[in-house]
């Protein structure tokens, strides 16, 4: 049978252990064909020796949030100082109506102390001309808001802290800094997008992902609006990616409704050929810079928390186990946000009970898991738990610098034990956590995994260099391992016969360059169709 498409004169890295390298690639019916011939109707492309590999898999992003930010919100980088942010707010506010919301981000975690005062909030009020403003931090867990936003959200000096959140105060007065679930009050007051805007946000995000060679991804926390947008795109033949959605069991930061059982009950109606709502998502703790991550050993002392503060998980061990069992019984796998080593241990303990209950095939992912107690490292492989890592974040940079302000130096420097996880047999999968990371460019993440250095060269040093992995391992983290982690390895992740013809053409051979981080995608193909060309 003649192929639809044949790539010739290429260097093809297949991710197939039986045949890792090839010089050509054939596609029939949108799938890789191992035995196709060239016929009269075959399109033949001579790639001139270009490097070809499977499309990249991003196992953890918030694609709709990223698309929304680009299309509808004010954006600024984590290097922006307070005056830079105020200037950006002032310029955007000049384009808005008298009481129109201004949303955006992301300010650096290192600015927490500077933004924790009423004077900072009043400066934001002035820049916004009295408008309601809500600006997320780089973790997207916390918000800096204006006086008008507090008023519209009903947050006053008398408002108690909501469960799982903190209204940071100064002399009893809300400072304008809202941690974790406290920000949900403002998020709901700000309102959402229209269905068409949600559709545009998802579409735009996928266009950006194509530009970086991503052909499959797992969104780490969705609403029915996002599910609806993906479903609409797929039914219209416009979803050119494999997408796995994670359904929120709890929601301390987004303000989505519904979550939990009502969301799981309707998930099936959004399933379509390229969209699989197969996971639940649980936030088991927060983030270290605001001391909302749960640790086995205490944070550095401060005036608010004292010298023995460890943080806390959002659920008791029994509640977590019950939630995972209920999800598994309903056919869902689970991604669980854990940034402190205490939350990682609690999750592993819960998985152990779920496995004992007979759920051998359920997939489990620790999301982030940058801090893991040494005793727990071998348990990932033993329990079949994937390490969903975000190497974009765990090299010298803003977030590690913020963590170093709240943890003892030795502990703060020992993040993301990737070498040990791989050596103990764990499945390690790569996620960008975009837009927490400013870009979903996997080559920056791959370079960081290999060097443990800032791939952009902005900050010196290396973060726990002993945990570096090889380039081949790092590429697998963002291809076949990612596909396995989110249950897409039946259709993508490697260029083997029968899998979807999802591949990228690069501007260089990453195994023959000293500048891996500068690798660029020249073309991206999904199911045998070109979806991006530089």
């Amino acid at each position: 049978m003649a192929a639809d498409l044949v790539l010739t004169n290429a260097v093809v890295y297949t991710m197939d252990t039986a045949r890792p390298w090839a010089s050509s690639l054939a596609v029939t019916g949108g799938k890789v064909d191992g035995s196709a011939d060239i016929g009269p109707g075959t399109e033949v492309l001579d790639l001139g020796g270009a490097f070809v590999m499977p499309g990249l898999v991003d196992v953890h992003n918030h694609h709709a949030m990223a698309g929304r930010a680009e299309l509808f919100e004010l954006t600024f980088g984590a290097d922006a100082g307070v005056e830079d942010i105020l200037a950006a707010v002032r310029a955007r506010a000049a384009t808005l109506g008298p009481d129109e919301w201004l949303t955006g981000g992301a300010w650096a975690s290192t600015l927490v102390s500077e933004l924790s005062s009423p004077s900072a909030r009043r400066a934001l009020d002035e820049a916004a001309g009295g408008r309601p403003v809500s600006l997320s931090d780089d973790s997207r867990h916390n918000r800096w808001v204006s006086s008008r936003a507090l008023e519209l959200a009903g947050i006053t000096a008398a408002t108690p802290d909501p469960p799982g959140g903190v209204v940071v105060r100064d002399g009893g007065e809300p400072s304008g800094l809202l941690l974790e679930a406290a920000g949900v009050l403002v998020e709901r007051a700000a309102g959402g997008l229209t269905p068409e805007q949600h559709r545009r946000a998802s579409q735009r995000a996928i266009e950006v992902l194509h530009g970086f060679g991503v052909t499959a991804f797992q969104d780490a926390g969705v609403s029915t609006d996002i599910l609806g947008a993906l479903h609409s795109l797929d039914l219209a033949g416009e979803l050119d990616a494999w997408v796995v959605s994670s359904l929120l069991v709890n929601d301390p930061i987004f303000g989505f409704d519904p979550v939990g059982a009502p969301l799981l009950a309707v998930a099936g109606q959004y399933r379509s050929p390229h969209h699989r709502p197969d996971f639940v998502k649980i936030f088991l703790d927060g983030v270290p810079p605001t001391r909302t991550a749960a640790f086995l050993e205490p944070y550095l002392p401060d005036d608010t928390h004292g010298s023995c503060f460890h943080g806390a998980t959002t659920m008791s061990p029994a509640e977590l186990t019950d939630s995972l069992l209920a999800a598994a019984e309903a056919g869902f796998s689970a991604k669980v946000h854990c940034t402190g080593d205490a939350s990682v241990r609690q999750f592993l303990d819960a998985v152990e009970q779920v496995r004992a209950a007979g759920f051998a095939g359920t997939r489990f992912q620790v999301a982030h898991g940058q801090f893991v107690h040494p005793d727990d490292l071998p348990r990932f492989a033993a329990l079949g738990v994937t390490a969903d890592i975000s190497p974009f974040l765990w090299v010298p940079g803003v977030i590690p610098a913020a963590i170093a302000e709240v943890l003892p130096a030795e502990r703060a420097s020992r993040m993301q034990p990737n070498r040990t996880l791989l050596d103990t047999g764990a499945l390690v999968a790569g996620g960008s956590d975009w837009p927490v990371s400013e870009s979903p460019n996997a080559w920056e993440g791959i370079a960081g995994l290999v060097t443990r250095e800032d791939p952009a060269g902005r900050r010196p040093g290396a973060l726990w260099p002993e945990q570096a992995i090889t380039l081949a391992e790092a590429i697998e983290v963002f291809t076949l391992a990612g596909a396995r982690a989110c249950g897409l390895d039946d259709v993508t992740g490697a260029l083997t016969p029968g899998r979807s013809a999802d591949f990228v053409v690069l501007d260089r051979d990453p195994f023959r360059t000293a500048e891996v981080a500068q690798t660029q995608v020249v073309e991206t193909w999904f199911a045998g169709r070109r979806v991006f060309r530089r």
Side-chain angles (χ1 to χ4, degrees), residues 447-463:
L449 287 171
V450 173
T451 67
R452 306 288 295 203
E453 299 172 354
D454 175 10
R458 293 171 295 192
R459 292 173 179 81
L463 188 61

Side-chain angles (χ1 to χ4, degrees), residues 33-57:
D33 192 329
S35 59
D37 298 322
I38 295 176
T42 302
E43 180 182 6
V44 180
L45 295 180
D46 185 329
L47 293 189
F51 191 93
V52 176
M53 60 174 281
L56 299 166
V57 181

Side-chain angles (χ1 to χ4, degrees), residues 64-199:
M65 183 187 300
R68 171 179 174 165
E70 179 173 326
L71 294 178
F72 306 115
E73 297 185 338
L74 172 66
T75 58
F76 47 85
D79 289 330
V82 174
E83 291 304 319
D84 299 320
I85 296 170
L86 292 174
V89 168
R90 191 172 290 110
R92 174 60 68 91
T95 70
L96 301 178
D99 204 30
E100 189 174 348
W101 276 88
L102 192 161
T103 59
W107 48 270
S109 298
T110 48
L111 297 178
V112 165
S113 297
E114 195 171 347
L115 302 182
S116 299
S117 68
S119 61
R121 189 193 74 236
R122 287 191 286 270
L124 182 60
D125 294 343
E126 184 277 327
R131 293 171 179 82
V133 180
S134 176
L135 303 176
S136 296
D137 74 336
D138 48 18
S139 74
R140 294 314 201 271
H141 279 241
N142 310 295
R143 292 168 178 82
W144 182 36
V145 305
S146 67
S147 298
R148 180 59 174 155
L150 290 172
E151 179 185 351
L152 292 173
I155 300 174
T156 68
T159 303
D161 288 347
V166 176
V167 178
V168 178
R169 304 171 196 269
D170 187 293
E173 178 185 358
S175 66
L177 191 64
L178 305 175
L179 307 184
E180 300 288 339
V184 170
L185 301 173
V186 169
E187 191 72 21
R188 288 176 176 160
L193 305 181
T194 66
E196 179 56 29
Q197 287 174 322
H198 277 290
R199 197 176 190 278

